[in-house]
Amino acid sequence: MKHEACDDNEAYRLVLEPPDIETYMRLRREAGMNPRSAAGAERGLPGSLFAVQVVHQGEEGNETVGMGRVVGDGGCFYQVVDIAVQPAHQGRGLGKRIMAEIRAYILREAPENAFVSLLADGEAHRLYAQFGFEPTHAIGMAWYPDRAGHRSAEG
């Protein structure tokens, strides 16, 4: 496990590994993101190309309050996913720290001309633009299969 202290606030440190399943599901819920199944998290988290967590060191112990991951094929395609910060810890530059670590990973590891994508919800596009992401002319599409194989638009 690799740890790095955050420069301007010693109460936060970065951990460069995926969160455990419970933490992952909790952070998604607390950040207002669509839930994912425990079975999906169990399969998906170990397959992360890169992951970063923000851990708050408080009086009551350590708590993961933010996260971000990169998934993909490790060559041609990279997707930034699961950028989340607990609402109580937002506005402190933690999303920027997460994205800075992700950007550094991609610049270090991705081959030239790799396609790096993400989906920006709400006003998050303002954060991502600071890291070089631009709107595309493509139409984002999604499919959330259920056990019967029918299309579900709810995700």
Side-chain angles (χ1 to χ4, degrees):
M1 183 182 332
K2 183 177 178 184
H3 302 275
E4 296 178 14
C6 295
D7 293 334
D8 67 350
N9 191 337
E10 292 299 319
Y12 297 98
R13 65 182 166 89
L14 301 181
V15 176
L16 303 182
E17 65 181 27
D20 61 43
I21 295 167
E22 289 179 24
T23 301
Y24 173 78
M25 294 177 70
R26 174 183 57 80
L27 279 174
R28 285 188 62 88
R29 182 178 61 252
E30 291 172 349
M33 299 166 77
N34 288 336
R36 297 289 173 242
S37 70
E42 183 176 10
R43 283 178 158 183
L45 291 173
S48 303
L49 294 175
F50 180 79
V52 57
Q53 298 175 65
V54 178
V55 177
H56 180 254
Q57 298 169 271
E59 293 178 9
E60 297 180 18
N62 295 338
E63 178 185 23
T64 300
V65 299
M67 68 177 175
R69 297 190 309 133
V70 178
V71 299
D73 65 11
C76 295
F77 298 96
Y78 296 77
Q79 186 170 29
V80 177
V81 298
D82 295 328
I83 305 299
V85 175
Q86 275 183 348
H89 295 270
Q90 291 176 359
R92 299 175 188 185
L94 300 178
K96 287 181 183 178
R97 289 192 172 110
I98 291 167
M99 286 301 299
E101 289 295 326
I102 287 172
R103 184 177 189 277
Y105 163 79
I106 290 169
L107 288 173
R108 184 174 62 248
E109 299 294 331
E112 186 176 339
N113 204 30
F115 183 76
V116 182
S117 63
L118 58 75
L119 296 173
D121 291 330
E123 294 300 308
H125 66 91
R126 296 181 193 283
L127 168 65
Y128 305 135
Q130 295 175 42
F131 292 89
F133 287 87
E134 300 175 356
T136 67
H137 297 289
I139 296 173
M141 300 177 74
W143 175 55
Y144 302 97
D146 62 19
R147 292 203 181 270
H150 298 103
R151 181 175 177 190
S152 169
E154 293 182 16

